[in-house]
Amino acid sequence: MKEKHVTDSVVYIGADDKTLDLFESQYQIPNGISYNSYVILDDKTAVMDTVDLRVSEEWEKNLEEALDGREPDYLVSLHLEPDHSGNILNFARKYPDAKIVMSVKAAMMLPQFFELDSSRIIGVKEGDSLKLGTHVLKFMLAPMVHWPEVMVAYETSEKLLFSADAFGKFGALDTDEEWTDEARRYYINIVGKYGPQVQMLLKKAAGLEIACICPLHGPVLKENLLYCLNKYQQWSSYEAEEDAVLIAYASIHGNTKKAVDKMADILKDRGAKVVLRDLARADMSSVVADAFRYSRLLLAGPTYDLNLFPAVEDFLYHLKIKGWRKRKAGIMENASWAPAAAKLSRAALEEMKEIEIAEPVVSIKTSLKETDIALMEELADELLK
Ligand code: FEO
């Protein structure tokens, strides 16, 4: 971020991380990630969250520059996950007179992370305020967005929402890309399971006039806020964004792929938008985000060791733990002997909520035959109904 000032009184002091291989040890971040932190300068000064230990040095320097010789009065910790709490102990040692403000739940969890004199901690509840001068922070609890102790803070004078992980995005701040795709991949994979809790937060936010959203990852949002809020509304209610068929498939020697390509043509002939993803090669977090994005799923894979092919099983596991629901799904399987993939795919999909399975299941024997086409057309018709 070139512009350090969010407003005249609020300074960005976070840092980009472009060398981390996998965020949370699982998500590819080709454009890095930012750990956001802010300072509010008023009669009192408040630091809004710290950063991951990986970028401590840059954050400390940014903090000193922003304070310009002043001492911080408060550190407000909205979220205890280590990418934001990593420097709480360092901060507390460096600024022994500063108080540390966090939710009561966070204060209870804090000893799991650090040994800190409890007299330094101010535990706050829903609706509590912290007056800094003209600036006043009003706290709203946001449990499971994305940990149980999370809260957000609304600064009333400038109408700023410090939103913790919510409204974050993968990508360092100098990444030149639009917000939606990487915000979706971030949301679905990190917070997606907690849709009902995000809905509760959105209900609280609906009563606020918001000029700017300051998340803990990704850009500060000053424009198109209604668009971003509407996307969160859609994602957290598990509604599809686009009517399209995601064909998520795996193919060992290419025969399932040929069947899938034929199925894509059949669907396109019927006017459908089709998105093909090879589960063995695509980034899993991206395909999971696609499954949330599109209205229909066609799952296709071979039987392998009398089981699901590993990439297909992994995909179904991810859909389940992320709470994927409210979709229509079709199943295609391939087997040279003893087919099991369709049965196991169906069982996995039936464990999820509000999934309608389109019939019939198409079962290919090794390679696609002309005699398979009629059944595929029938499945396409049902999937698109
Ligand atoms: Fe960015 Fe849940 O931490």
Side-chain angles (χ1 to χ4, degrees):
M1 179 187 276
K2 292 195 177 73
E3 180 52 67
K4 289 279 183 187
H5 279 266
V6 177
T7 69
D8 287 347
S9 310
V10 179
V11 185
Y12 180 85
I13 58 166
D16 282 344
D17 185 350
K18 295 183 178 179
T19 58
L20 182 66
D21 57 348
L22 294 170
F23 185 68
E24 291 189 356
S25 281
Q26 57 177 318
Y27 302 117
Q28 291 181 17
I29 42 170
N31 295 317
I33 186 92
S34 70
Y35 311 110
N36 296 348
S37 171
Y38 309 86
V39 174
I40 304 174
L41 301 165
D42 203 318
D43 296 340
K44 303 278 189 184
T45 58
V47 178
M48 304 301 289
D49 287 290
T50 75
V51 294
D52 195 284
L53 283 168
R54 293 171 55 83
V55 294
S56 304
E57 206 174 314
E58 184 177 345
W59 176 73
E60 283 174 22
K61 181 171 159 287
N62 289 345
L63 174 56
E64 280 179 23
E65 276 178 17
L67 289 170
D68 195 21
R70 295 180 66 179
E71 289 286 303
D73 295 289
Y74 301 105
L75 167 63
V76 177
S77 171
L78 299 176
H79 183 16
L80 273 186
E81 193 163 9
D83 50 337
H84 311 296
S85 67
N87 276 280
I88 287 181
L89 195 57
N90 292 338
F91 176 93
R93 286 175 177 155
K94 186 169 178 181
Y95 302 107
D97 295 328
K99 297 286 189 191
I100 297 163
V101 181
M102 56 181 58
S103 69
V104 171
K105 182 86 176 173
M108 286 166 61
M109 290 171 70
L110 190 67
Q112 297 170 212
F113 295 81
F114 310 109
E115 283 185 28
L116 208 57
D117 182 348
S118 59
S119 67
R120 301 282 304 272
I121 310 296
I122 299 174
V124 294
K125 305 183 298 298
E126 176 75 21
D128 283 355
S129 294
L130 180 69
K131 188 166 173 53
L132 305 173
T134 308
H135 292 80
V136 178
L137 291 169
K138 189 171 176 194
F139 299 109
M140 292 174 284
L141 301 183
M144 301 320 297
V145 188
H146 116 258
W147 275 17
E149 88 302 349
V150 170
M151 60 179 185
V152 302
Y154 179 65
E155 197 292 300
T156 58
S157 70
E158 299 200 81
K159 307 185 189 327
L160 314 175
L161 180 65
F162 292 90
S163 60
D165 273 342
F167 300 98
K169 173 185 161 296
F170 291 130
L173 293 187
D174 61 2
T175 306
D176 185 17
E177 66 187 1
E178 59 91 41
W179 180 80
T180 311
D181 285 347
E182 284 296 76
R184 177 193 302 107
R185 187 169 71 93
Y186 165 94
Y187 171 84
I188 297 299
N189 287 280
I190 292 176
V191 197
K193 180 180 172 66
Y194 307 110
Q197 292 88 344
V198 174
Q199 292 265 299
M200 285 172 62
L201 176 59
L202 290 175
K203 278 196 188 112
K204 293 179 187 182
L208 304 172
E209 192 182 333
I210 301 170
C212 176
I213 297 176
C214 302
L216 286 176
H217 301 286
V220 169
L221 302 171
K222 293 183 175 178
E223 293 168 359
N224 301 325
L225 296 189
L226 192 56
Y227 171 83
C228 300
L229 286 159
N230 284 340
K231 282 291 170 198
Y232 260 60
Q233 180 63 33
Q234 214 164 21
W235 296 337
S236 60
S237 58
Y238 303 94
E239 298 297 340
E241 290 171 77
E242 287 180 55
D243 188 13
V245 181
L246 169 66
I247 302 183
Y249 72 94
S251 183
I252 303 173
H253 299 294
N255 282 311
T256 308
K257 172 73 163 69
K258 280 183 189 157
V260 151
D261 285 342
K262 179 64 185 172
M263 192 62 180
D265 289 342
I266 292 170
L267 288 161
K268 284 180 198 164
D269 285 347
R270 283 156 172 72
K273 176 179 173 178
V274 175
V275 177
L276 278 160
R277 296 282 185 260
D278 178 350
L279 291 170
R281 292 170 179 82
D283 167 54
M284 183 58 71
S285 69
S286 299
V287 192
V288 170
D290 285 338
F292 278 75
R293 178 176 180 176
Y294 301 120
S295 56
R296 298 160 211 271
L297 169 69
L298 179 68
L299 186 68
T303 297
Y304 188 79
D305 284 344
L306 300 181
N307 217 310
L308 288 166
F309 190 73
V312 174
E313 184 167 36
D314 194 29
F315 178 58
L316 286 165
Y317 169 78
H318 277 84
L319 291 185
K320 182 182 167 189
I321 62 167
K322 298 306 174 191
W324 185 73
R325 67 190 71 175
K326 290 190 182 174
R327 297 291 189 279
K328 198 163 187 182
I331 301 169
M332 286 175 66
E333 69 171 355
N334 194 357
S336 297
W337 70 95
K343 186 176 158 209
L344 294 167
S345 296
R346 181 190 292 276
L349 289 168
E350 284 177 349
E351 279 186 48
M352 301 174 206
K353 291 181 182 164
E354 298 175 76
I355 301 298
E356 181 186 349
I357 297 182
E359 306 290 353
V361 162
V362 173
S363 191
I364 305 291
K365 293 282 186 291
T366 303
S367 63
L368 181 66
K369 316 287 188 308
E370 274 303 311
T371 49
D372 296 319
I373 305 292
L375 215 54
M376 289 166 69
E377 289 178 337
E378 205 180 319
L379 173 58
D381 288 338
E382 283 302 313
L383 187 59
L384 295 177
K385 264 186 190 166

